[in-house]
Amino acid sequence: MFSPTVRASLSSVVILCASAAWVQAKPESAETVLDHSLHELMQIAESNKGATPAQLAKKARPLLERLFNFESLTKRAVGPGWRELSAEQQQQAVTLFSEILIRSYAARFDWHNKLDIQFAPPVDVGGGHSEVAAVSRYAGNVIHVLYRMESSGSAWRVYDVVVEGVSMASNYRTQFDAIRQRGGGEALLKSMKENLN
Amino acid sequence: MLTRSRLPGAQATLCATLLLGITLPALAGSGVRPPRPAPELTSPRPTTDPDDEFSTASDNRPKTSDPLEVLNRGIFAFNHQVYRFLLRPLARATEAVIPKPVLTRIGYVFDNFETPVRVVSSLLQANFSRAGKETGKLLINSTVGLGGLMRPSDHFACLADVPDEDVGQAFGKWGIPQGPYVVLPILGPSSLRDLPGKAADSALNPTIWVGSNAVRYSLTGTRNVLLNPGRIKAYDLARDGALDQYLAIRESYLSYRAEAVRR
């Protein structure tokens, strides 16, 4: 029915399509997710040079919301006090905390220094969690970073960043604890709102 | 910017900045990756298990010793005003006069000059390999690197990522606990263990050995003025995202120092 040449061509097309579908279906490793996301962030920054922090935050927000599991990060930052918050307060805490982090990111972008970052292969720490170590050179300094990630559906998302031994979730937990112990969940939410104003 | 000199307080502030600013890409404007030897990728192991940390039922983190918190907060507030009205304007003036690449290079020179602090600290920990690497860096950067203006040692994988050492870290290796947290006027975060460590670092710093008093004061003053913009920038950046700036910087400092001792 088909000549050998046509059959060969059809077979190639079928194989290519099948391969493409397989590649698309295969979830990215934690390291690849990080690598791609950080490069995408840099591209966003590069194409928005001179943008105000608010503009940059708006542009970067979708990517940051994809890369970070802000709900998980907020739970860890609030720690034992999480259960004392009502469902509504918990939702508010996630929204406010993610806003604080995204705004901080945008406000602190340094256009003048180049980032050189190398990732180690992810280490499976069990329970759907992985850790990706990275070494970065920034402004003449060598900085060690550990990205803690969890498998969220089909994708890896960051739930904590440890820079030179300093955990973001742990650092915020110390602050949140002190505020919560003084005035409870309401005081914590109020403090977050004040930070954003 | 900060150099890899003995500035644990400023480095801890930088850590706070990095954390509060989410992560490293927030500090970089370009993804250019120059070819470099792969540095040692040793994971900074988590201080707590992720599952434990995720658990909201208990909090097993070690308690911070801060019996002087009231006094510390007062000094922290005083430092803030000093930074605001004195050091920040000085930093702006420095950056207006001296181009950033020049500032960085001069920072490298001081960093190179302070090698004895790192060598002796390594020897105090019986870490002869690290002391040798520091000596190797000194030789290469002082000769090929034109007195430390450049860092050709970074092109050697074994010398590209030598962790900084100081006497306070040696005390930590000996098993001396961190002790209460202390905030020093102008200098910032420290601890009972790091106070004598800082004094020893100063004694080992060649900038206080050379020449007359005038030369020594000039060198120390120049060093502090040149490093000041990086310190102020890190401090300013850390302020935005923190709900309690004092606690944010305290925890960053103590965690950073614990990690430095471990590494």
Side-chain angles (χ1 to χ4, degrees):
Chain A
M1 187 175 166
F2 296 115
S3 71
T5 314
V6 172
R7 272 205 300 262
S9 303
L10 278 173
S11 302
S12 305
V13 169
V14 169
I15 290 168
L16 279 172
C17 288
S19 305
W22 180 79
V23 167
Q24 203 170 12
K26 189 185 174 190
E28 286 182 311
S29 69
E31 176 198 2
T32 311
V33 167
L34 270 179
D35 196 22
H36 288 175
S37 301
L38 298 189
H39 273 84
E40 207 178 320
L41 274 175
M42 289 166 195
Q43 282 167 2
I44 290 171
E46 194 71 26
S47 56
N48 289 279
K49 263 189 178 173
T52 63
Q55 289 167 332
L56 189 58
K58 193 178 172 187
K59 294 277 183 187
R61 178 183 297 277
L63 176 59
L64 292 172
E65 285 178 342
R66 205 167 65 232
L67 176 62
F68 281 83
N69 186 338
F70 284 118
E71 185 181 345
S72 188
L73 179 51
T74 309
K75 279 183 186 174
R76 286 179 165 84
V78 175
W82 183 253
R83 286 181 180 163
E84 294 169 16
L85 304 181
S86 67
E88 191 187 346
Q89 284 178 323
Q90 289 177 351
Q91 187 51 51
Q92 259 190 298
V94 173
T95 307
L96 291 168
F97 189 42
S98 54
E99 186 65 29
I100 287 171
L101 295 177
I102 291 172
R103 282 199 197 178
S104 298
Y105 163 77
R108 287 158 190 183
F109 209 95
D110 183 345
W111 308 99
H112 303 102
N113 283 294
K114 292 174 180 176
L115 180 68
D116 168 18
I117 188 163
Q118 292 170 304
F119 297 102
V123 175
D124 186 350
V125 292
H129 297 91
S130 269
E131 293 178 352
V132 181
V135 169
S136 170
R137 286 189 173 77
Y138 166 73
N141 299 293
V142 176
I143 300 167
H144 294 82
V145 186
L146 183 74
Y147 293 92
R148 289 175 175 170
M149 303 180 78
E150 62 190 359
S151 182
S152 175
S154 59
W156 287 98
R157 297 172 82 191
V158 177
Y159 66 85
D160 193 11
V161 184
V162 185
V163 182
E164 293 288 341
V166 188
S167 150
M168 174 161 64
S170 181
N171 191 290
Y172 269 108
R173 188 185 287 190
T174 304
Q175 301 173 54
F176 290 179
D177 271 352
I179 297 166
R180 199 175 45 75
Q181 281 166 14
R182 282 198 303 269
E186 275 306 319
L188 177 60
L189 295 174
K190 185 172 171 241
S191 186
M192 286 183 179
K193 284 174 193 164
E194 283 170 359
N195 184 277
L196 289 168
N197 290 330
Chain B
M1 297 307 304
L2 287 173
T3 66
R4 299 169 67 190
S5 55
R6 318 286 72 233
L7 292 165
Q11 285 176 330
T13 310
L14 173 63
C15 282
T17 303
L18 291 167
L19 289 170
L20 299 169
I22 293 185
T23 184
L24 291 165
L27 293 161
S30 162
V32 175
R33 294 176 173 199
R36 286 176 181 276
E40 185 190 4
L41 269 171
T42 52
S43 300
R45 297 301 303 171
T47 49
T48 51
D49 180 80
D51 284 331
D52 285 347
E53 193 155 24
F54 186 74
S55 167
T56 56
S58 63
D59 190 345
N60 298 322
R61 293 176 307 151
K63 298 295 175 199
T64 300
S65 171
D66 192 4
L68 303 172
E69 182 170 347
V70 175
L71 176 65
N72 283 340
R73 280 189 183 268
I75 297 172
F76 185 82
F78 166 77
N79 285 350
H80 176 73
Q81 299 306 324
V82 173
Y83 299 159
R84 184 179 173 196
F85 292 110
L86 184 66
L87 297 185
R88 185 176 298 116
L90 178 65
R92 285 188 186 138
T94 306
E95 287 192 313
V97 174
I98 307 174
K100 273 192 175 179
V102 177
L103 274 176
T104 304
R105 297 291 172 190
I106 298 174
Y108 286 174
V109 172
F110 278 105
D111 188 46
N112 195 49
F113 205 53
E114 291 160 7
T115 301
V117 179
R118 297 190 289 274
V119 172
V120 172
S121 301
S122 299
L123 291 175
L124 286 173
Q125 299 171 58
N127 193 335
F128 302 108
S129 162
R130 202 165 282 176
K133 286 178 181 176
E134 284 291 353
T135 308
K137 280 173 62 180
L138 175 69
L139 291 173
I140 293 170
N141 293 339
S142 300
T143 52
V144 185
L146 306 176
L149 277 170
M150 292 180 287
R151 277 189 182 160
S153 63
D154 281 354
H155 295 279
F156 296 90
C158 62
L159 301 178
D161 184 19
V162 184
D164 283 343
E165 293 292 352
D166 58 49
V167 177
Q169 288 177 49
F171 292 161
K173 279 276 188 216
W174 295 351
I176 299 173
Q178 185 93 257
Y181 177 68
V182 178
V183 180
L184 298 173
I186 302 173
L187 295 176
S190 188
S191 70
L192 195 60
R193 183 184 69 199
D194 285 341
L195 282 175
K198 278 177 201 263
D201 291 343
S202 298
L204 291 167
N205 191 331
T207 49
I208 69 158
W209 304 344
V210 292
S212 62
N213 280 345
V215 173
R216 287 197 288 272
Y217 293 144
S218 301
L219 275 174
T220 306
T222 304
R223 175 184 179 277
N224 286 326
V225 167
L226 294 175
L227 293 175
N228 180 47
R231 292 170 177 170
I232 291 299
K233 187 176 183 183
Y235 175 74
D236 280 346
L237 290 171
R239 293 171 57 218
D240 292 340
L243 269 59
D244 185 324
Q245 295 166 23
Y246 171 80
L247 291 182
I249 290 175
R250 184 188 75 185
E251 293 307 304
S252 295
Y253 176 80
L254 296 175
S255 301
Y256 171 80
R257 292 297 289 165
E259 177 66 14
V261 170
R262 190 196 69 80
R263 189 173 287 150

